[in-house]
Amino acid sequence: MNKRFTWKFTKYIFIFLTITLILASAGIGLFLTNIVKLAYNDLNTADDFYMEMSISKEDNGYNLSNDLKQKLKENNVQLYIIDNQGNALYPKKHKNIKNKLIDNIYNTTTIPFKNDHLSVALIYPQKYKHNLNNKENIDITKLINSLYINNYNAYQHIEKNNQMMFIENPAHQKVVYTTEFTEIENNTFKFLAISYLLLLLLNIILVIMFAFIISRRISKPLFFYNDWIENLSKGKLFKPSSKHYNKRTKKLFKELNASVEKLNLQLTEDKIYQNQINYYREKWLSQISHDLKSPLTSIYGYARLLSSETIDTKKYAILISDKASYMTELIDSLNKNFKQETDQMNVHKEAFNVSETLDQLIKSIQYNKFEINNHLSSKEFYGNKLYFERMMMNLIDNSIDHNKQNPKIQITIQNQEDGLIVDYKDDGKGINKTAEKNMLHSNFTTKDNKEGHGIGCTIIMDCISFHNGTFKILPTKKGVHFRILLK
């Protein structure tokens, strides 16, 4: 059972882990595919990396991503892909945009693109007006370079006396193009890959460990309930010893525990009741065999006489009829008495053999840790047999129920001038002071589940009360020691 539970939990947790990994991978994929869009939420923040990710080269030219197209449309910006001489490679309908760049010099930015000396020119709506008289002499390569962002521009342009001039940019930094990852980046990726695999392996190990622990936690108590039900099926009306039966088990399997306890109690009461019925049945059979023996003998004798031809048959036929009628009335009377006795057996007193009753009860329970000390001078006790059986059964049941390991039970019975003394001991964990004080109350229970269970103390006290007896708790080093007097 434990292996089945472990496999079940492992399977379900693996399914959960697989779904989690799929969702996590999908999330990472969505993140990576949208990272450019998330990082560059405005066209003003666009740089060479964004352009590398957003513009792809195809056989028939260049293609812009939807995100870049949307940003251009929202800002009313024109985009051109140009070489160092200002020749437009995108869009194809434009040839050279040198004059366009000069006219829009204050509302244009250029971004280095690819590794073949191309640039991306972004021309915003015109905001400035200026007149230059040296357009023909302006170096287009320096002009494009002067419009670079992030200090990629080696030159700065200035306008003086309607003339455009270029000066070197002291903060210039080179654009670094890489066609493959650096060693640091490769090491970083390797570290992340190994970390991911180790994390995955750790998750698998934790899944197996948790599945094993949880399955043991849940399945171990079930072994106890399985053994208990198996005991009941074999007529052993007691709980088996188990270290797994504790408050946590009762709480986890509350309904199962209540059901099996109820079944145990019902089977015990049915067994005691059946014993009592058997007792009255044997008594009835004994009475009926004794009372019918005499009229049957007479009928047999009269029948023999009827076989003789020399006698008056009518006379003996009437006698046989009378005897048969008597037998019918006798059987009806015995049946009525049997019904009355069984209906009233809860409040009926009679002489019964205490030793035989106790032995029969122990055989019914089939518990193997009993020590019976019989010091009876008189075998029979005048009392209620059913009450006595139920009292002893509940004393035994309480001993077994309140100990994880089944205790050894010692029962000593002896006569006293005014009644029967029962000394009951077990070597279990005993009872606390609060329980000792409250045990004499008729509605007290030591069971955790008080709804429909835990009536042991009530039944014990009912028996003692019916027999006008006494109940004492005697000191002991281990377990419990009760002395019960029945009168």
Side-chain angles (χ1 to χ4, degrees), residues 31-54 65-72 74-75 111 122 149-150 152:
F31 174 77
L32 292 176
T33 54
N34 291 278
I35 188 170
V36 174
K37 185 177 179 180
L38 294 170
Y40 298 92
N41 55 6
D42 189 271
L43 194 60
N44 293 326
T45 61
D47 57 11
D48 53 321
F49 177 78
Y50 176 77
M51 292 304 170
E52 290 278 350
M53 298 296 295
S54 301
S65 68
N66 292 331
D67 181 61
L68 178 55
K69 289 179 180 179
Q70 182 67 25
K71 285 182 168 60
L72 294 172
E74 289 175 354
N75 293 274
I111 300 172
L122 299 175
I149 61 171
N150 298 334
Y152 290 150

Side-chain angles (χ1 to χ4, degrees), residues 25-282:
S25 300
I28 292 171
L30 288 172
F31 174 77
L32 292 176
T33 54
N34 291 278
I35 188 170
V36 174
K37 185 177 179 180
L38 294 170
Y40 298 92
N41 55 6
D42 189 271
L43 194 60
N44 293 326
T45 61
D47 57 11
D48 53 321
F49 177 78
Y50 176 77
M51 292 304 170
E52 290 278 350
M53 298 296 295
S54 301
I55 301 175
S56 59
K57 188 174 182 180
E58 299 177 352
D59 294 337
N60 58 348
Y62 292 90
N63 185 43
L64 308 185
S65 68
N66 292 331
D67 181 61
L68 178 55
K69 289 179 180 179
Q70 182 67 25
K71 285 182 168 60
L72 294 172
K73 184 178 180 181
E74 289 175 354
N75 293 274
N76 194 22
V77 174
Q78 298 175 0
L79 181 143
Y80 299 91
I81 300 176
I82 57 176
D83 61 15
N84 289 341
Q85 301 303 315
N87 298 316
L89 305 180
Y90 176 90
K92 287 186 176 181
K93 60 183 180 180
H94 293 81
K95 293 183 178 180
N96 192 288
I97 62 168
K98 176 180 178 181
N99 292 331
K100 192 175 185 72
L101 291 176
I102 294 172
D103 292 339
N104 293 277
I105 193 170
Y106 293 110
N107 50 289
T108 298
T109 57
T110 58
I111 300 172
F113 181 68
K114 302 295 184 184
N115 196 20
D116 48 2
H117 307 291
L118 300 181
S119 303
V120 174
L122 299 175
I123 301 177
Y124 291 81
Q126 188 170 358
K127 296 179 181 179
Y128 305 100
K129 290 183 179 181
H130 58 94
N131 295 311
L132 296 174
N133 53 26
N134 67 333
K135 284 185 180 183
E136 300 255 344
N137 299 323
I138 292 175
D139 188 334
I140 185 61
T141 301
K142 290 184 178 180
L143 175 62
I144 294 171
N145 185 279
S146 69
L147 298 174
Y148 280 167
I149 61 171
N150 298 334
N151 282 327
Y152 290 150
N153 55 315
Y155 303 96
Q156 293 177 339
H157 61 266
I158 58 174
E159 189 176 337
K160 187 175 183 182
N161 300 324
N162 294 330
Q163 299 264 332
M164 179 170 287
M165 296 177 293
F166 298 95
I167 61 173
E168 290 185 358
N169 178 16
H172 167 66
Q173 60 180 10
K174 278 189 173 185
V175 181
V176 179
Y177 296 99
T178 57
T179 56
E180 56 184 26
F181 294 117
T182 63
E183 184 179 353
I184 295 175
E185 289 171 333
N186 283 328
N187 291 335
T188 302
F189 289 141
K190 285 180 182 178
F191 173 77
L192 291 175
I194 293 172
S195 299
Y196 184 80
L197 290 175
L198 288 176
L199 183 62
L200 181 61
L201 181 62
L202 179 62
N203 277 336
I204 293 173
I205 294 172
L206 288 175
V207 164
I208 296 173
M209 288 179 58
F210 277 117
F212 180 74
I213 293 170
I214 294 172
S215 64
R216 282 179 64 88
R217 283 284 183 95
I218 294 179
S219 64
K220 282 286 185 180
L222 290 179
F223 287 117
F224 164 75
Y225 287 110
N226 183 67
D227 293 341
W228 190 1
I229 294 171
E230 187 177 353
N231 270 5
L232 297 179
S233 69
K234 294 178 180 178
K236 299 178 181 180
L237 307 178
F238 62 91
K239 295 177 182 176
S241 291
S242 177
K243 62 182 180 181
H244 306 293
Y245 185 68
N246 48 40
K247 289 184 178 180
R248 184 181 296 174
T249 300
K250 290 182 181 181
K251 187 175 181 181
L252 181 60
F253 297 97
K254 184 178 180 181
E255 292 79 11
L256 177 60
N257 187 77
S259 297
V260 180
E261 276 194 347
K262 188 175 181 180
L263 175 62
N264 198 152
L265 180 63
Q266 186 63 51
L267 289 175
T268 303
E269 291 183 347
D270 289 347
K271 189 72 174 180
I272 295 172
Y273 183 80
Q274 189 62 44
N275 290 343
Q276 196 75 1
I277 291 294
N278 290 338
Y279 168 77
Y280 283 108
R281 183 183 62 198
E282 290 173 6

Side-chain angles (χ1 to χ4, degrees), residues 312-330:
D312 183 4
T313 58
K314 183 178 180 180
K315 174 184 176 183
Y316 289 105
I318 292 172
L319 288 172
I320 289 174
S321 177
D322 289 342
K323 291 295 182 181
S325 177
Y326 168 75
M327 289 174 62
T328 301
E329 292 176 359
L330 178 62

